[in-house]
Amino acid sequence: MDVAGSKSLGKDDSSGFEFAQEMLAGDVTAAINFDRIQRNAKTGKYIIFEYLLCEESQKVNPYTSHPNRYWHKNKRKFLSLFQVANDLKATLYLVNYAKKGTKHEDKILLMEVIDADENHIQTEDYKTIRKEFSKRFRKLNAACL
């Protein structure tokens, strides 16, 4: 799909992350990185995606992993994402996935965040497969052009 002012995704640009990391010189960061934020062209509503990679070496897969399993390590990240989503009146989605070519590549868990507090995050979960997620993701992307 060719839309004026937009382009397809090209190579990954991690240079901004690397620059911030260098400038902080080992300091703890107060920031969070967004994986994806977009706005529906018709409704004006923002949608935030956070991608959560399940490595092959982990005991969990995209269907069995959940942020509550490692809440003690990452709650600041998820609470910050939830706060930004609330401030923007956005829908926050967490997406568990595995890299293509790995054992669990076809398992994708889409989690819509309902609530979060200091103790846990509450999600509504949808198990899907890579092909189906791609169809829905492309449709959502087109609605935001």
Side-chain angles (χ1 to χ4, degrees):
M1 178 180 283
D2 184 21
V3 177
S6 292
K7 64 178 185 170
S8 63
L9 290 177
K11 66 177 184 144
D12 182 25
D13 181 8
S14 60
S15 64
F17 173 83
E18 292 167 358
F19 178 73
Q21 186 178 39
E22 175 193 346
M23 295 299 104
L24 286 171
D27 293 349
V28 174
T29 185
I32 55 169
N33 292 331
F34 288 93
D35 284 324
R36 186 175 183 91
I37 185 167
Q38 57 193 75
R39 184 175 173 271
N40 186 295
K42 289 182 182 172
T43 67
K45 186 165 180 156
Y46 284 97
I47 305 152
I48 299 171
F49 285 93
E50 181 66 19
Y51 303 126
L52 307 172
L53 174 63
C54 291
E55 297 282 0
E56 252 185 318
S57 60
Q58 291 177 283
K59 294 178 183 177
V60 294
N61 66 62
Y63 286 169
T64 62
S65 184
H66 192 279
N68 286 329
R69 292 179 71 107
Y70 48 93
W71 192 249
H72 62 287
K73 294 180 183 179
N74 262 355
K75 74 178 179 180
R76 286 281 133 235
K77 170 185 176 175
F78 295 111
L79 287 172
S80 295
L81 284 166
F82 184 67
Q83 183 62 54
V84 170
N86 281 339
D87 289 350
L88 292 174
K89 295 179 177 68
T91 301
L92 173 60
Y93 292 108
L94 309 176
V95 182
N96 281 356
Y97 73 100
K99 289 182 181 174
K100 195 166 177 93
T102 62
K103 179 179 175 181
H104 298 291
E105 72 178 347
D106 207 33
K107 294 177 181 175
I108 294 179
L109 181 65
L110 176 66
M111 297 171 275
E112 181 177 348
V113 177
I114 307 303
D115 197 14
D117 61 31
E118 286 294 320
N119 300 311
H120 75 292
I121 191 166
Q122 180 185 351
T123 61
E124 191 167 325
D125 302 346
Y126 308 92
K127 289 181 182 176
T128 187
I129 59 173
R130 207 172 197 94
K131 184 177 179 179
E132 287 303 312
F133 183 78
S134 176
K135 278 188 213 175
R136 292 180 182 171
F137 191 69
R138 292 179 72 206
K139 184 176 180 180
L140 178 65
N141 183 67
C144 294
L145 291 172

